[in-house]
Amino acid sequence: MAHTPEQNPVVLVHGIDDTASKMARMQRFLEAEGWVAASISLSPNNGDAGLESLAEQLAEFIDETFGNQRFVDLIGFSMGGLVTRYYVQRLGGIHRVQRFLTISSPHHGTWVGYLRQNRGASQMRPSSHFLNELNQDVDMLDQLQFTSMWTPFDLMILPTTSSRLPVGDELQVPVLLHPWMVSDRRCLRAIAIRLTQPLLESK
């Protein structure tokens, strides 16, 4: 697949306890297909910091890497899906991002969030103030080409349907393990297809 002027650079955002290396296979795949791709390592990555501060790191990374004018496409995995949503919905990313995918992200919380007692984990619990506030205006994601990707076999996002959102497109991929969602060939091909979809005029 050759790179075309319509293809934006793609920014990849990892999940809890991960670094940019978690997204390495996806980054290599996208680069081989012709995209410019960049992956950030958020710090701290263990939930000790609020997701808002991680989103601020993401905003700085995008501006430093691509300037403050160029459009980008955005992919967030697991916790990274909430970090990217905060960036889009609260930090002006809505004006920078055109295609946006979240992969196995706890949009409505996960019971696994109760296994840690830090700020980031508490924000990922069902009905947390952070999620309730973010979901109040989730409809703004309709301004983008948004896709929520998830697997019904997820043991990290409980319930698994928490990875679904009532906006944009939804894609279920029957991957057996949560971490495999960023490396499974079916997911990678589906991501490539969505990143090449022509933008609607309003987007």
Side-chain angles (χ1 to χ4, degrees):
M1 184 185 301
H3 179 79
T4 69
E6 292 75 27
Q7 287 177 233
N8 295 324
V10 184
V11 179
L12 311 177
V13 184
H14 62 79
I16 196 166
D17 294 331
D18 294 327
T19 64
S21 63
K22 180 65 180 179
M23 312 300 285
R25 182 172 179 185
M26 184 182 295
Q27 183 170 348
R28 289 193 302 269
F29 171 82
L30 291 174
E31 290 172 344
E33 296 288 310
W35 274 275
V36 172
S39 185
I40 183 175
S41 287
L42 300 170
S43 180
N45 64 356
N46 64 351
D48 279 352
L51 303 187
E52 305 94 335
S53 66
L54 300 183
E56 290 169 1
Q57 290 179 37
L58 174 62
E60 292 175 6
F61 175 82
I62 291 174
D63 285 349
E64 290 173 0
T65 307
F66 300 111
N68 59 9
Q69 300 294 323
R70 189 173 185 183
F71 286 119
V72 298
D73 293 338
L74 194 56
I75 299 175
F77 169 60
S78 197
M79 178 188 75
L82 300 182
V83 173
T84 50
R85 276 188 62 195
Y86 194 89
Y87 165 68
V88 168
Q89 293 179 237
R90 297 290 179 266
L91 301 181
I94 192 76
H95 305 298
R96 296 288 310 275
V97 176
Q98 292 186 318
R99 301 174 184 89
F100 179 22
L101 296 90
T102 60
I103 304 171
S104 294
S105 296
H107 296 300
H108 306 285
T110 174
W111 297 112
V112 176
Y114 287 100
L115 297 180
R116 301 188 193 197
Q117 302 305 313
N118 56 22
R119 178 169 172 78
S122 68
Q123 290 177 318
M124 291 187 280
R125 296 171 186 171
S127 299
S128 71
H129 174 77
F130 176 87
L131 291 176
N132 287 342
E133 197 271 340
L134 206 57
N135 287 332
Q136 281 182 352
D137 58 359
V138 67
D139 288 351
M140 72 187 296
L141 296 181
D142 276 330
Q143 299 175 46
L144 315 176
Q145 289 197 186
F146 175 75
T147 302
S148 53
M149 186 180 299
W150 65 288
T151 173
F153 303 115
D154 207 317
L155 296 178
M156 288 294 292
I157 309 301
L158 300 172
T160 59
T161 52
S162 179
S163 292
R164 306 165 65 186
L165 276 179
V167 296
D169 297 324
E170 176 191 327
L171 179 62
Q172 181 183 141
V173 185
V175 176
L176 292 181
L177 293 176
H178 179 81
W180 293 357
M181 288 293 287
V182 293
S183 58
D184 186 278
R185 192 75 180 178
R186 293 166 294 178
C187 293
L188 297 178
R189 292 309 311 174
I191 289 167
I193 289 170
R194 276 151 181 78
L195 291 177
T196 53
Q197 287 179 335
L199 293 168
L200 299 180
E201 271 191 40
S202 62
K203 299 179 180 181

